[in-house]
Amino acid sequence: MNNAFPSNPFGGSGFGSGQGGPASAIFDAMEQLRKSFEQRPSGGSRMAKGDVRTAVLSLLTEKPMHGYQIINEIADRSGGSWKPSAGSVYPTLQLLADEGLIEAQEQNGRKTYSLTELGRAVAAEHTETPAPWESQSKSEGSHDNPRYSALPKAGVDLAAAAAAVGRSGSTEQVQQAVEILDEARRRLYSILAQD
C-alpha cells in the first residue's frame, strides 16, 4: 500500500522501541542541532588544502605531534571555528612525508611526525604570514564572541539533556521535558521580538 503521508521527520516510523524509536528520533534531532551550530558565519566550512598543509608545517615547527594532536591543536587555536577532518590531515601528512618535509616515528603505538631539515626550511618561508587558524578566527570574529562559542555549547548541552530524558525518563518525565523545551523555545523567540 502506498502511503500518502510523508515519513516521520524525526526518523523512523514512529516513537516505538527499537530502530526508528524514540532514541533514534532524539539522536537524529540532536545531530541536526549540532550541524546547525557547526555552520560557519562566513558560510564556508572547509579550509583550502594548502591551509591544512601550512597549518601542519607551522605546528610541527613547535614540536613533533601525531595526527590527532594536530587536529585538536588547530581546533583549539582557531577557537573551534576550524577543525580539520582526519580525512584531510592524514593525507596531508603522507604527502609531506613523500615530499621529504616530515618524517614519522612510531611512539606509544602512534606515528609522531616531525620536520626534516628541508621541512624546517619550507616552514620558515611562511613565518611572515599568519597561521591559517589565525586568519580563520579573525575573519569569523573572536572566539570569545558568545554567538560562536557559548550559544552553540548551551544548545548542544540542552539537546544532550533532552536526549538523556528521552532515553531513560518515564512517560511523565518525558512530558515534563517537552513542556520545558516548548517554554524555552518561546522564550528564545521572545528575545528576538524585543526592541
Side-chain angles (χ1 to χ4, degrees):
M1 177 163 106
N2 191 352
N3 190 348
F5 295 103
S7 63
N8 184 340
F10 299 107
S13 58
F15 289 101
S17 61
Q19 186 176 10
S24 174
I26 290 169
F27 287 123
D28 288 347
M30 279 184 59
E31 182 65 14
Q32 288 177 341
L33 176 67
R34 184 187 62 76
K35 285 181 180 178
S36 72
F37 280 121
E38 282 186 345
Q39 292 177 356
R40 306 294 188 250
S42 66
S45 62
R46 294 183 177 211
M47 295 292 284
K49 288 183 181 183
D51 291 328
V52 174
R53 176 187 173 92
T54 303
V56 169
L57 289 172
S58 179
L59 288 173
L60 292 180
T61 61
E62 298 173 13
K63 65 179 181 180
M65 295 183 187
H66 55 76
Y68 183 72
Q69 283 177 297
I70 291 169
I71 292 168
N72 286 330
E73 196 65 34
I74 292 170
D76 288 346
R77 293 185 188 204
S78 69
S81 65
W82 177 35
K83 184 173 184 178
S85 69
S88 64
V89 170
Y90 286 101
T92 300
L93 288 168
Q94 183 60 53
L95 181 64
L96 291 169
D98 292 346
E99 294 174 6
L101 301 179
I102 65 172
E103 58 189 2
Q105 294 179 348
E106 191 83 23
Q107 291 182 346
N108 300 326
R110 291 187 169 180
K111 283 186 179 180
T112 301
Y113 300 90
S114 58
L115 292 175
T116 62
E117 288 302 317
L118 179 59
R120 280 189 247 297
V122 170
E125 295 173 7
H126 298 285
T127 58
E128 298 300 315
T129 59
W133 54 81
E134 290 173 0
S135 60
Q136 176 78 355
S137 60
K138 286 177 185 171
S139 68
E140 294 185 357
S142 170
H143 63 82
D144 295 331
N145 185 332
R147 177 185 304 255
Y148 306 126
S149 58
L151 183 61
K153 181 182 181 327
V156 171
D157 289 349
L158 179 63
V165 173
R167 276 191 309 271
S168 9
S170 67
T171 303
E172 292 80 22
Q173 290 170 325
V174 169
Q175 185 55 42
Q176 286 176 338
V178 168
E179 291 168 9
I180 289 168
L181 292 173
D182 283 344
E183 175 63 20
R185 178 184 42 79
R186 285 191 292 275
R187 291 183 64 189
L188 287 170
Y189 279 124
S190 75
I191 292 170
L192 292 175
Q194 296 172 4
D195 289 332

